[in-house]
Amino acid sequence: MSKKTLIVVGNGMVGHHFLEQFCASPAAADFEIIVFGEEKQLAYDRVHLSEYFGGSSHADLAMGTLEWYTEQGIQLHLNEQVTGINREHRTLETPRGGYRYDELVLATGSYPFVPPIKGNDRPHCLVYRTLDDLDTIRASSEGARTGVVVGGGLLGLEAANALKSLGLEAHVVEFAPRLMPVQLDADGGALLRHKIEELGVQVHTEKATTAITEGEDARLRMNFSDESFLETDLIVFSAGIRPQDALARASGLEIGERGGIVIDNHCTTSDPHVHAIGECALWEQKIFGLVAPGYTMARTLSSALNGDRDTAFTGADMSTKLKLLGVDVGSIGDAHAQTPGARNIRFNDEQAGHYRRMVISEDGKTLLGAILVGDNSHYDTLLQYALNGITLPENPETLILPESQGGAPALGPDALPETASICSCHNVTKGDICRAIDAGCSDLGSVKSETKASTGCGGCTALLKNVVDSELEKRGVEVSKDLCEHFPYSRQELFHLVKVNGIRTFRTLISQHGKGHGCDICKPAVASILAICWNEHILATDHVPLQDTNDTFMANMQKNGTYSIVPRIPGGEITPDKLIVLGEVAKEYDLYTKITGGQRVDLFGATLSQLPEIWEKLIAAGFETGHAYGKSLRTVKSCVGNTWCRYGVQDSVDMAIRLEDRYKGLRAPHKVKMAVSGCTRECAEAQSKDFGVIATENGWNLYVCGNGGMRPRHADLFATDLSDEELIRTIDRVVMFYVRTADRLQRTSVWMESLEGGLEYLKEVVLEDSLGIGAELEEHMEGIVGTYQCEWKTAVEDPEKRKRFREFVNAPSQADPVQEWTVERGQRRPVLESA
Amino acid sequence: MKPRTRWEAVCTVDDLVPESGIAVWTEDGPVAVFYLPHRLPALFAISHSDPFSGANVLARGITGDLKGEPVVASPLYKQHFSLRTGVCLEDDTVRVKTYPVLLDGNQIRLEVRANQRESIAA
Ligand SMILES: Cc1cc2nc3c(=O)[nH]c(=O)nc-3n(C[C@H](O)[C@H](O)[C@H](O)COP(=O)(O)OP(=O)(O)OC[C@H]3O[C@@H](n4cnc5c(N)ncnc54)[C@H](O)[C@@H]3O)c2cc1C
Ligand code: HEM
Ligand code: SF4
Ligand code: SF4
Ligand code: FES
């Protein structure tokens, strides 16, 4: 059966979300997918468009990557506007050609409404919707002094803020008597106006512009119906949006009276093969100008195309919570009390600049709507009451009174029903979160990556954290980020304190930033941080008492108090002579000998006092410590590579040895493992490592953040076809960023998942250097590589350090009486407990 | 015959490691001696034997304080033992022996035979 063709018109937020949903569904296999986007750029986060003026690039705002589109086999046509649809032949055309479809999805969004005012097409009359618009505004602001935004709604105020950030004197001209007429009432609007004027934005309400003419003191003059005028250098129209339904209209699809492509509950238009989602769609006479309802439509349509007729679009909550020019504004449900019988409770603190209004049902039992200005801290609680119909307390006013006046504390996450929607962008309920936790998510980061909650507009972040914390607590999981009772900081925060203040000892750190004397949690964590920052010998006097016994004695303690010794065998390559030395030493001290999974040899059963003697012999034979005891690089496993293997395309052993020699000894929040395979057959199982390298014809592919163990995780492809130098530089950066920012005992996989933005964010930081710290990370790594010392070599050469290895300081010849031995399969092993 | 006690010299100040422990061999077997210079008293001595593993390892644990109580964490299974009373914080039915310890000039001395607290508690 040949595949059918699905075409999506519009590569905006909702179109992209639809593709994500659909490509992950079974039906994707039946379709060839083609996408047309009129804008030059790949779909980006329009909600955070204003951050473009704050320094974010398109890459920062992008919602997906070209690689993702390629991987999904999607044909992506950017900068190509669809100009016509022929529904009879099921074709559409663009300036570049004609295309056939079986199913068509319109996700064309909306366009800014520019009021029909004479002169509105003059130069420097602009709109605020796309990245290109923002580029134009920026260009126009060159040499300008003032800017006016026409429209005092949500977007208009955001645009005013943008003008301010460009250094212009900003004005807002609003036709209605108050700001944000849709969301706010008179008192709320007045307070918002007051606050915004305080910030230096001039607000002009009840002004109808009649014409725009040439200015005298500035580029333009706006003439108002009351004969007054305002001069300005540029104008941004933000007087509302209109659904982009031109294509649909021209092709004869049913269109609403005031615009919008009419859809049913499954997002299908009047033509069963044409569907519409997002801001261009009209459902029950309503347009939804927010992203969350668009996402719900996208999911609904994806289900419908998979034959699921039960999932339906049933409208959406239009509540909003924003910070406009730094002022909190919230509007929930029926904010204007239009429900018959609705009653109001208002709280207005002009002193503090807080306004809150609750709209409650006639019987006083349920919350219908609310308005908040100046302080959004009540928003989450009120929204949950409204959305879930939770019965209000007896004195509902306590919900908006300050706590000092008998106000009720916020609705605890416990009080929310399972069905409570926590993240409306991704339609995640409290029940979904509980299930994710029960399935093994043990922190906020993993819940986020599992459910996608809080990865949309971000409005639900605080609520999500509360729910996750409370559910984890219920399950007995400690959620405080504090390292332990001695330090009220996370590992990352301590790292900064140490680095920024140049702190070199535990004692200084705890006396300045902690309390008490420390414990077995904070001491090793701080030791690791100090090692990363200053790289002094771990047995330097100040550091000795901080280490776990394995680090103190640079060997791994076994159940009977003896130690195992693991010399480094970089890349698993060893000469026969060295192998013989290992055998001889093991024989001399009767050490149980085993090959590890890390391609090296583990010698068990050495007593404390034997360790330095044994190491003297190993060092003389050219061995170095293997750091099997440390939270640091373990081994770099490798296959034999192209020097022997007939399939190999690169020398994997050589690269493994280079990597192992480079990163050996580096202290990290947890152990770090690497592997290198010589070709795509992947004999070294590199994809199960923190850093996996697989040879290609052209260089190396790098995979990051995998692990084996209790919860195995495949590493993610991070970069392809790297040269030797690029590979090392990239690993340098990721390792250093990990070491600096991860939590105590957080392996790379969990760390990556907990980063806001996950893998994509990590790529931006490392590959695109979005934080501008690339060079610093490399330099830091270079410094550590340059100061490497074999800890064992330094220790055996220093009599003071060797003193530490006395089993009993007053009885050198005394053997430990509990260490009893037996022989099994020709080797010595401890006697198991007799009890 | 009443058990006789005596203050046994076990090591010198130079053998001690600040903020950490060392092991000494006594008539009563292996004992861990801890030196916490930032506390008063600064010297503690408890049995070196970890009751959970039977291994002689407690001197090699990390020291610290939990809610003000001076402790050492077993290096094997990480339980905490009070350096004052020997009681295990995770399981108060388990305790290790404690020994009175004093500094005599440069000598560290332990009272190794009598262990009054243990006999009272038992
Ligand atoms: C400054 C700003 C701030 C916002 N803040 C918020 C907020 O805080 N919360 C919130 O929920 N929402 C906010 N929004 C609204 C939100 O961005 C939209 O709801 C969302 O982008 C709608 O997605 P969409 O895919 O329907 O439309 P769009 O993202 O506009 O995408 C439609 C795409 O289709 C393309 N297109 C149109 N016609 C054609 C054609 N014929 N051929 C090819 N391509 C075509 C367009 O060029 C566009 O790229 C904000 C919007 C702006 C501008
Ligand atoms: C909490 C979990 C773990 C603990 C406490 C732990 C502990 C240890 C210790 C102590 C050693 C050194 C052995 C010795 O010489 O005494 C070791 C080695 C090793 N472990 Fe683990 N381990 C853990 C999880 C894992 C996981 C998840 C894997 C693999 C998927 C793994 C694979 C290995 C390998 C391959 C070696 C030998 C490495 C070498 O040559 O240095 N371990 N582990
Ligand atoms: S990964 Fe490739 S090069 Fe390495 S051993 Fe396997 S087949 Fe050979
Ligand atoms: S798998 Fe378990 S038993 Fe085996 S080495 Fe690892 S921790 Fe020990
Ligand atoms: S509500 Fe937007 S990200 Fe959760």
Side-chain angles (χ1 to χ4, degrees):
Chain A
M1 190 185 83
S2 74
K3 283 192 177 183
K4 292 183 282 183
T5 303
L6 173 88
I7 295 189
V8 180
V9 184
N11 188 230
M13 296 188 76
V14 175
H16 176 81
H17 192 75
F18 167 75
L19 290 171
E20 277 189 349
Q21 299 292 320
F22 187 68
C23 288
S25 76
D30 305 335
F31 286 95
E32 210 64 72
I33 305 176
I34 309 178
V35 177
F36 293 96
E38 182 181 353
E39 293 185 65
K40 293 198 290 288
Q41 303 88 350
L42 192 64
Y44 53 86
D45 182 355
R46 205 178 302 287
V47 170
H48 293 107
L49 185 66
S50 299
E51 290 172 13
Y52 190 59
F53 281 151
S56 293
S57 63
H58 168 250
D60 297 326
L61 295 174
M63 306 197 54
T65 59
L66 284 177
E67 289 98 74
W68 183 82
Y69 278 80
T70 317
E71 271 165 33
Q72 304 298 327
I74 299 173
Q75 278 187 45
L76 181 63
H77 298 249
L78 291 178
N79 205 4
E80 186 167 350
Q81 185 191 12
V82 175
T83 47
I85 303 175
N86 182 330
R87 291 197 290 120
E88 214 179 319
H89 295 109
R90 293 206 204 146
T91 57
L92 50 75
E93 59 189 57
T94 78
R96 288 188 217 152
Y99 303 82
R100 242 197 66 78
Y101 65 83
D102 293 293
E103 299 292 333
L104 180 63
V105 177
L106 300 173
T108 47
S110 49
Y111 62 91
F113 170 66
V114 178
I117 300 167
K118 224 172 100 212
N120 66 10
D121 52 353
R122 283 175 170 272
H124 304 289
C125 289
L126 312 166
V127 293
Y128 196 84
R129 172 99 197 157
T130 65
L131 286 173
D132 285 357
D133 293 341
L134 266 59
D135 283 335
T136 315
I137 293 175
R138 200 198 306 258
S140 166
S141 74
E142 303 279 325
R145 207 172 46 78
T146 51
V148 168
V149 175
V150 177
L154 189 159
L155 291 183
L157 294 178
E158 214 177 297
N161 193 31
L163 294 186
K164 234 182 113 220
S165 72
L166 288 171
L168 302 185
E169 176 189 313
H171 297 254
V172 171
V173 172
E174 168 60 52
F175 178 73
R178 61 170 183 273
L179 293 175
M180 292 186 66
V182 182
Q183 292 89 355
L184 298 186
D185 59 5
D187 286 346
L191 175 60
L192 179 63
R193 172 183 190 147
H194 176 70
K195 293 206 157 209
I196 282 178
E197 285 181 336
E198 267 182 357
L199 294 166
V201 174
Q202 298 186 39
V203 178
H204 314 262
T205 48
E206 292 184 87
K207 291 280 182 199
T209 314
T210 48
I212 297 166
T213 53
E214 193 163 325
E216 276 173 25
D217 298 327
R219 292 173 187 155
L220 303 164
R221 171 180 291 193
M222 300 175 72
N223 300 286
F224 302 121
S225 55
D226 60 4
E227 311 274 290
S228 62
F229 66 86
L230 181 64
E231 296 230 326
T232 177
D233 291 315
L234 67 93
I235 299 174
V236 175
F237 288 103
S238 180
I241 53 168
R242 294 290 180 270
Q244 183 52 276
D245 54 14
L247 268 182
R249 202 183 279 271
S251 69
L253 286 171
E254 189 184 343
I255 300 293
E257 237 168 76
R258 294 164 60 203
I261 310 168
V262 174
I263 57 167
D264 64 13
N265 289 355
H266 302 285
C267 302
T268 298
T269 67
S270 52
D271 177 334
H273 296 288
V274 183
H275 317 273
I277 52 179
E279 285 187 345
C280 63
L282 183 76
W283 178 85
E284 297 206 336
Q285 304 298 327
K286 284 190 280 247
I287 288 286
F288 297 88
L290 292 176
V291 71
Y295 281 0
T296 308
M297 291 182 197
R299 281 190 296 270
T300 309
L301 177 59
S302 174
S303 302
L305 291 172
N306 276 278
D308 166 9
R309 304 298 290 176
D310 296 333
T311 308
F313 182 75
T314 53
D317 174 51
M318 295 295 283
S319 303
T320 32
K321 169 169 89 168
L322 324 141
K323 218 179 192 60
L324 290 168
L325 296 130
V327 182
D328 278 344
V329 179
S331 171
I332 294 174
D334 180 13
H336 292 296
Q338 282 160 348
T339 311
R343 295 186 291 141
N344 290 292
I345 302 177
R346 289 192 176 84
F347 168 81
N348 199 349
D349 181 345
E350 289 182 5
Q351 187 67 28
H354 295 171
Y355 174 71
R356 301 194 265 280
R357 167 178 174 176
M358 281 164 73
V359 179
I360 59 178
S361 61
E362 198 166 9
D363 62 7
K365 290 232 167 71
T366 47
L367 183 70
L368 302 172
I371 292 174
L372 303 168
V373 178
D375 170 19
N376 262 348
S377 57
H378 302 257
Y379 181 90
D380 288 344
T381 297
L382 293 175
L383 182 67
Q384 292 300 331
Y385 271 104
L387 286 185
N388 300 304
I390 300 172
T391 308
L392 287 169
E394 209 162 316
N395 305 310
E397 67 277 6
T398 55
L399 290 177
I400 54 172
L401 286 176
E403 265 184 65
S404 60
Q405 295 174 30
L411 185 61
D414 264 358
L416 298 176
E418 286 280 295
T419 52
S421 164
I422 305 299
C423 172
S424 46
C425 287
H426 291 282
N427 199 18
V428 181
T429 62
K430 182 177 160 192
D432 295 332
I433 291 165
C434 294
R435 276 186 290 282
I437 290 175
D438 290 333
C441 295
S442 57
D443 55 24
L444 188 60
S446 49
V447 171
K448 269 187 175 177
S449 53
E450 180 67 28
T451 62
K452 289 198 134 199
S454 176
T455 59
C457 69
C460 59
T461 313
L463 180 62
L464 177 71
K465 182 170 173 0
N466 283 341
V467 172
V468 170
D469 284 356
S470 124
E471 291 300 320
L472 285 176
E473 243 159 48
K474 265 199 231 162
R475 290 162 177 73
V477 180
E478 182 75 54
V479 290
S480 162
K481 277 274 180 204
D482 293 1
L483 200 56
C484 63
E485 67 177 68
H486 304 102
F487 288 102
Y489 300 102
S490 67
R491 178 184 179 276
Q492 185 181 359
E493 289 163 339
L494 282 178
F495 187 98
H496 280 288
L497 287 172
V498 167
K499 186 98 193 155
V500 172
N501 300 316
I503 293 172
R504 284 177 175 263
T505 66
F506 180 80
R507 193 54 28 214
T508 321
L509 184 66
I510 198 165
S511 57
Q512 291 179 1
H513 301 285
K515 61 170 200 278
H517 300 272
C519 65
D520 54 314
I521 306 273
C522 57
K523 283 181 168 180
V526 170
S528 155
I529 292 171
L530 293 171
I532 294 158
C533 289
W534 320 119
N535 213 21
E536 292 170 2
H537 194 277
I538 57 168
L539 291 194
T541 329
D542 287 331
H543 305 328
V544 168
L546 304 181
Q547 320 276 356
D548 266 318
T549 185
N550 288 354
D551 278 287
T552 309
F553 300 108
M554 301 179 295
N556 292 358
M557 184 186 274
Q558 305 296 333
K559 57 200 296 180
N560 63 355
T562 62
Y563 290 86
S564 77
I565 296 172
V566 194
R568 188 166 295 290
I569 301 179
E573 183 189 79
I574 186 164
T575 61
D577 280 338
K578 280 179 129 181
L579 201 52
I580 288 168
V581 171
L582 287 183
E584 281 171 352
V585 168
K587 212 163 157 181
E588 180 178 350
Y589 290 88
D590 201 2
L591 302 175
Y592 168 84
T593 306
K594 185 172 188 314
I595 309 284
T596 73
Q599 298 190 334
R600 47 190 188 174
V601 179
D602 203 340
L603 308 173
F604 292 80
T607 63
L608 191 59
S609 47
Q610 286 172 339
L611 288 174
E613 295 170 34
I614 293 173
W615 269 107
E616 248 175 346
K617 299 195 161 121
L618 293 174
I619 287 165
F623 284 102
E624 287 185 327
T625 178
H627 297 99
Y629 44 84
K631 300 283 177 243
S632 55
L633 176 75
R634 293 289 169 81
T635 68
V636 183
K637 195 173 162 181
S638 68
C639 75
V640 71
N642 71 353
T643 40
W644 292 91
C645 174
R646 66 201 144 115
Y647 299 112
V649 293
Q650 305 281 350
D651 189 346
S652 49
V653 179
D654 180 66
M655 181 49 78
I657 294 172
R658 275 176 74 179
L659 294 177
E660 188 153 346
D661 278 336
R662 184 168 183 80
Y663 301 113
K664 63 188 177 191
L666 174 78
R667 289 308 195 266
H670 209 305
K671 63 184 169 190
V672 174
K673 300 185 177 183
M674 304 188 183
V676 185
S677 282
C679 81
T680 167
R681 285 167 192 75
E682 241 286 63
C683 295
E685 297 169 334
Q687 287 169 91
S688 66
K689 305 295 182 205
D690 299 277
F691 294 85
V693 178
I694 302 178
T696 68
E697 296 284 347
N698 308 317
W700 308 98
N701 283 354
L702 174 63
Y703 292 76
V704 299
C705 304
N707 58 246
M710 275 194 289
R711 284 219 295 153
R713 180 183 191 283
H714 271 278
D716 290 309
L717 181 59
F718 194 71
T720 54
D721 289 336
L722 302 171
S723 67
D724 292 4
E725 285 63 38
E726 287 168 339
L727 175 68
I728 287 170
R729 201 174 64 221
T730 310
I731 300 179
D732 272 4
R733 289 185 179 192
V734 182
V735 170
M736 233 343 135
F737 193 51
Y738 163 64
V739 161
R740 287 183 170 204
T741 60
D743 251 335
R744 189 183 87 88
L745 297 188
Q746 199 174 36
R747 284 203 65 179
T748 53
S749 55
V750 180
W751 163 71
M752 189 262 277
E753 281 160 10
S754 73
L755 291 175
E756 198 116 12
L759 182 67
E760 291 312 318
Y761 173 71
L762 188 59
K763 282 188 183 169
E764 286 160 20
V765 171
V766 170
L767 302 177
E768 294 161 24
D769 200 7
S770 62
L771 300 180
I773 57 171
E776 187 191 330
L777 295 176
E778 285 171 37
E779 211 174 290
H780 190 173
M781 181 63 82
E782 228 22 90
I784 289 186
V785 171
T787 51
Y788 171 81
Q789 44 180 327
C790 170
E791 296 149 4
W792 262 115
K793 187 160 189 295
T794 323
V796 295
E797 285 167 359
D798 180 342
E800 272 307 304
K801 287 188 175 124
R802 281 186 79 144
K803 272 172 67 180
R804 281 292 281 154
F805 292 88
R806 292 176 294 175
E807 194 103 50
F808 301 108
V809 300
N810 57 347
S813 55
Q814 174 68 47
D816 186 331
V818 301
Q819 292 165 3
E820 288 181 62
W821 306 97
T822 171
V823 171
E824 191 175 65
R825 290 188 295 277
Q827 294 203 70
R828 191 173 70 138
R829 70 158 176 76
V831 175
L832 300 176
E833 289 105 286
S834 40
Chain B
M1 214 171 65
K2 259 167 73 183
R4 289 188 37 179
T5 73
R6 67 183 176 92
W7 290 90
E8 183 177 339
V10 290
C11 63
T12 69
V13 171
D14 298 333
D15 292 318
L16 298 174
V17 182
E19 304 288 356
S20 186
I22 52 150
V24 294
W25 186 259
T26 73
E27 264 187 39
D28 203 30
V31 173
V33 180
F34 296 91
Y35 174 40
L36 308 183
H38 298 276
R39 294 192 76 96
L40 268 178
L43 288 173
F44 299 91
I46 66 173
S47 165
H48 187 33
S49 171
D50 170 20
F52 292 94
S53 61
N56 287 317
V57 294
L58 289 186
R60 299 177 221 157
I62 295 181
T63 64
D65 63 340
L66 291 178
K67 306 221 163 62
E69 187 69 17
V71 294
V72 63
S74 159
L76 274 169
Y77 300 112
K78 317 291 174 191
Q79 295 90 350
H80 299 91
F81 298 94
S82 162
L83 294 178
R84 291 189 313 115
T85 65
V87 172
C88 171
L89 269 55
E90 283 76 15
D91 178 353
D92 62 12
T93 64
V94 177
R95 81 187 306 174
V96 296
K97 267 193 181 180
T98 57
Y99 300 87
V101 51
L102 63 79
L103 181 63
D104 173 11
N106 203 26
Q107 282 290 326
I108 308 296
R109 293 180 183 277
L110 298 182
E111 196 179 16
V112 288
R113 278 289 181 73
N115 194 319
Q116 287 140 357
R117 273 199 214 97
E118 170 130 308
S119 51
I120 292 165

